[in-house]
């Protein structure tokens, strides 16, 4: 039951863990989430200088209450304390889970126990995850799946669903409260930034956190981001209520525009003419201790350039930061990485670059490795293994040679580059391993 007193209290902020308060974000719509200000690393990989929030919401209609998402299990107590300020458990008609990752579903089992009449509402991709999460089968769980265009009428308030898979798991969806033009967006438009002032017009500057979150969570799924934007952009939007970070009520559409910008969608505004020749890109990165791997890189680049329809760029990793190179690799068709072998390993900048590629969708790109070595030469096969692990195709066997390349060996490098380019462009018969003999690994120790 909402009272005037609880509304006043809600407007004063979320309170402390000892005295948590629900916060009204619109008429009959409350934030009932949790603050986690001391978290410094999320999911092991994301740094969180300001901690994070687990945002959950309660929407009241004339015919019941919808709870939209829950919180991480450790924060269940404050979630329930806030929820109880704005609804009785027997009023809860539906529990909408926009995303089943444990930071949003941790309090679900207990909520189901407290509100056993409530129907779970999940995306069409979520049932298998739900069953795994609850360790239960179909007979034991009451749930409905929804898709884009489906809606639930709470009485004077309709929840409409948008299927937005892979943002950030396959199960994810967004929920739109039509009458109040509020988008409950799940991880989309979220960020790890904890500030008890909650709203984007009150909190500190979180632009870095917003872009950082996009780069690590959404960027690998850009095509799905663009699909989601096609559903979201036509909606009238007064407020975006994500599951992490500030609630976006001041100029919410600018965050939608930022997603489009970060997704590089402006290229779509200028389509490539149908009669334009195919254009492929190969990026050759290298490190070189004494110049041998650099000479290999130059010969490989020259060989690749001799194939029509491919543009080759050559970069010395010694001279650049990793992040801009990641931006180059994302739209490229192929990469070749050259490293000497140092203490039985590739050089560290190679690994730095490869580990940074986890945020990029690499599936189907072509990869290759090369390098000069002193006596053991492990770097090349190690790089190839990692490229395969990142889902790149490695159609041309890696090329390595001992110490300073001879003219014949540089000719091999040229042929290697040519074979690589042919594998990328699909030209010639070189879609598989190069036909030029490459240096055999077997004779190396
Ligand atoms: Fe915030 Fe993908 O969970």
């Amino acid at each position: 039951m909402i009272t005037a007193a609880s509304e006043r209290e809600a407007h004063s902020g979320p309170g402390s863990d000892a005295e948590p308060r629900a916060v009204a974000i619109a008429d009959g719509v409350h934030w009932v989430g949790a603050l986690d200000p001391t978290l410094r690393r999320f999911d092991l990989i994301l740094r969180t200088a300001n901690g994070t929030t687990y945002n959950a919401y309660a929407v009241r209609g004339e015919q019941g209450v919808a709870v939209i998402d829950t919180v991480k299990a450790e924060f269940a107590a404050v979630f329930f304390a806030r929820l109880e300020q704005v609804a009785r458990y027997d009023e809860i008609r539906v529990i909408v889970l926009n995303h089943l990752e444990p930071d949003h579903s941790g309090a679900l089992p207990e909520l189901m126990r407290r509100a056993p009449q409530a129907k779970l509402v999940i995306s069409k991709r979520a049932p298998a995850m739900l069953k795994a999460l609850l360790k239960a089968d179909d007979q034991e769980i009451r749930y409905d799946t929804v898709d884009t265009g489906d809606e639930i009428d709470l009485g004077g308030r309709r929840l409409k669903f948008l299927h937005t898979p892979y943002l950030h798991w396959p199960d994810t969806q967004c929920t739109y409260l039509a009458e109040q033009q509020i988008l409950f967006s799940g991880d989309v438009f979220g960020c790890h930034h904890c500030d008890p002032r909650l709203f984007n017009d009150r909190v500190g500057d979180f632009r870095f956190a917003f872009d950082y979150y996009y780069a690590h969570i959404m960027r690998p799924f850009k095509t799905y981001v663009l699909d989601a934007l096609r559903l979201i952009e036509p909606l009238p939007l007064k407020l975006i209520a994500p599951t992490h970070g500030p609630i976006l009520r001041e100029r919410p559409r600018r965050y939608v525009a930022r997603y489009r910008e970060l997704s590089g969608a402006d290229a779509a505004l200028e389509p490539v003419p149908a009669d334009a020749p195919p254009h492929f890109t190969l990026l050759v990165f290298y490190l070189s201790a004494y110049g041998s791997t650099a000479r290999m890189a130059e010969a490989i680049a020259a060989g690749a350039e001799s194939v029509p329809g491919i543009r080759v760029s050559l970069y010395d990793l010694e001279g650049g930061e990793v992040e801009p190179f990641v931006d180059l690799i994302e739209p490229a068709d192929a990469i070749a990485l050259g490293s000497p072998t140092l203490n039985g390993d590739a050089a560290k900048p190679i690994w730095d670059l490869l580990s940074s590629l986890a945020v990029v969708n690499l599936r189907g790109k072509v990869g290759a490795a090369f390098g000069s070595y002193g006596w053991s030469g492990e770097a090349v096969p190690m790089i190839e293994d990692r490229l395969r692990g990142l889902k790149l195709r490695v159609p041309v066997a890696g090329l390595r040679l001992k110490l300073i390349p001879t003219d014949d060996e540089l000719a091999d490098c040229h042929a290697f580059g040519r074979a690589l380019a042919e594998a990328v462009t699909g030209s010639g018969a070189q879609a598989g391993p190069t036909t030029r003999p490459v240096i055999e690994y077997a004779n190396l120790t």
Side-chain angles (χ1 to χ4, degrees), residues 124-436:
K124 61 184 180 181
R125 299 287 295 273
M129 282 184 194
L130 181 70
K131 288 168 207 167
L133 183 78
L134 298 177
K135 305 279 183 257
D137 59 30
D138 263 340
Q139 289 72 46
E140 296 172 75
I141 318 171
R142 293 175 64 240
Y143 69 85
D144 283 337
T145 59
V146 288
D147 198 353
T148 300
D150 291 338
E151 63 179 67
I152 291 174
D153 191 347
L154 291 174
R157 290 204 162 113
R158 287 166 300 151
L159 299 176
K160 297 185 166 190
F161 301 98
L162 290 71
H163 186 54
T164 55
Y166 293 99
L167 308 179
H168 110 261
W169 277 8
D171 64 309
T172 41
Q173 63 179 1
C174 296
T175 301
Y176 181 64
L177 179 56
E179 284 69 19
Q180 285 162 293
Q181 301 176 356
I182 297 174
L183 182 71
F184 300 98
S185 58
D187 283 349
V188 184
F189 308 123
C191 65
H192 292 310
H193 184 88
C194 180
D195 187 323
R197 293 170 287 186
L198 280 188
F199 296 97
N200 67 323
D201 54 312
R202 290 186 183 167
V203 302
D205 192 329
F206 62 101
R207 284 175 295 180
F208 167 78
F210 187 88
D211 285 5
Y212 180 81
Y213 188 88
Y214 175 92
H216 288 80
I217 299 292
M218 300 296 161
R219 181 174 176 165
F221 305 106
K222 274 185 179 180
T223 56
Y224 292 98
V225 171
L226 294 172
D227 288 345
L229 291 177
R230 278 188 275 278
L231 297 176
I232 291 167
E233 284 169 337
L235 300 173
L237 278 181
K238 284 205 173 120
L239 188 150
I240 297 174
T243 46
H244 295 292
I247 296 164
L248 310 170
R249 68 179 179 186
E250 184 195 59
R251 297 171 59 209
R253 199 163 283 286
R254 80 177 127 145
Y255 300 95
V256 180
R258 183 66 180 149
Y259 258 45
R260 184 160 280 282
E261 191 175 32
L262 291 169
S263 301
D266 49 357
L269 300 175
E270 216 175 314
V272 178
D275 59 352
H279 181 78
F280 296 91
T281 53
L282 164 66
L283 310 179
V284 181
F285 297 95
Y286 68 93
L287 287 148
S288 195
Y290 294 100
S292 296
T293 302
R295 291 182 68 197
M296 291 179 74
E298 289 160 5
I300 289 166
E305 278 280 1
S306 70
V307 174
I310 192 160
R311 181 177 179 189
V312 183
S313 304
L314 187 63
Y315 303 101
D316 184 347
L317 278 176
E318 183 95 25
E321 299 291 333
V322 163
E323 200 167 318
F325 289 145
V326 175
D327 291 336
L328 291 179
I329 289 169
E330 187 166 37
D333 300 293
I335 56 173
L337 303 178
S339 173
T341 295
L342 306 166
N343 296 324
D345 201 351
K348 183 174 177 296
I350 292 282
W351 296 127
D352 290 344
L353 181 64
L354 286 167
S355 66
S356 300
L357 296 181
V359 300
V360 175
N361 182 4
L362 299 166
R363 191 177 290 275
K365 291 187 194 299
V366 166
F370 62 94
S372 160
Y373 67 97
W375 66 90
S376 56
E378 293 94 337
V380 168
M382 290 170 88
I383 294 168
E384 286 184 294
D385 283 349
R386 183 68 184 128
L387 291 171
R388 291 190 188 97
L390 289 167
K391 311 296 184 202
L392 285 93
R393 291 194 297 124
V394 184
V396 182
L399 177 59
R400 55 185 180 174
L401 55 85
K402 196 159 186 169
L403 296 172
I404 300 165
T406 64
D407 286 348
D408 282 349
E409 286 170 334
L410 288 175
D412 284 338
C413 292
H414 193 279
F416 177 88
R418 188 170 177 86
L420 187 58
E422 287 174 347
V424 175
T425 61
S427 60
Q430 306 290 347
T434 174
T435 53
R436 285 290 303 263

